[in-house]
Amino acid sequence: MPKDLLLELVEAKVHRADRPFDSRVIVEGGTTRPFVLERGWSGPSGSYLETWSIRKGGREIIHQSASRPVFVRGIQSVTRYSDLVAKPITLEPGTYDLVFIVEGRFMGSATITAAPE
């Protein structure tokens, strides 16, 4: 990705896998229940390597996804992605930062809440 061209994180959110209207990550016994991670990208058309992480205090990485290729259609549209995170993640109730890295560069973040049911 050229240094002067950046993707824009249009939207990022999480919700329960079984209840799309509930924007929490449910924590039970110190681990997460399945949740869905959605986000939208706008920027130059092309394939990019994306990774996301859940962080406490902006720096401490609690969980990081594997890098994966994403294809962005182009600046005139928003390309949306959705991941089902079914494997439990060790997480305590609280507020966390959901951080997105594309091609090794910070591209945006959102605040998420982990809570018991």
Side-chain angles (χ1 to χ4, degrees), residues 23-111:
S23 63
R24 300 174 297 161
V25 174
I26 299 300
V27 177
E28 187 173 74
T31 61
T32 60
R33 292 203 355 222
F35 65 95
V36 175
L37 167 62
E38 298 179 354
R39 67 265 190 216
W41 291 107
S42 178
S45 178
S47 291
Y48 303 93
L49 283 178
E50 175 202 60
T51 187
W52 56 267
S53 59
I54 297 173
R55 300 180 185 205
K56 186 70 172 175
R59 298 188 74 62
E60 179 188 356
I61 298 174
I62 306 298
H63 173 81
Q64 184 165 324
S65 72
S67 291
R68 74 171 204 165
V70 294
F71 180 78
V72 175
R73 289 188 302 260
I75 294 174
Q76 297 299 320
S77 65
V78 176
T79 307
R80 299 193 182 279
Y81 294 94
S82 179
D83 293 337
L84 171 63
V85 181
K87 185 176 178 181
I89 297 170
T90 301
L91 202 64
E92 294 299 323
T95 302
Y96 296 88
D97 298 310
L98 179 59
V99 175
F100 293 89
I101 306 292
V102 175
E103 296 292 329
R105 300 170 80 188
F106 171 82
M107 288 296 171
S109 65
T111 301

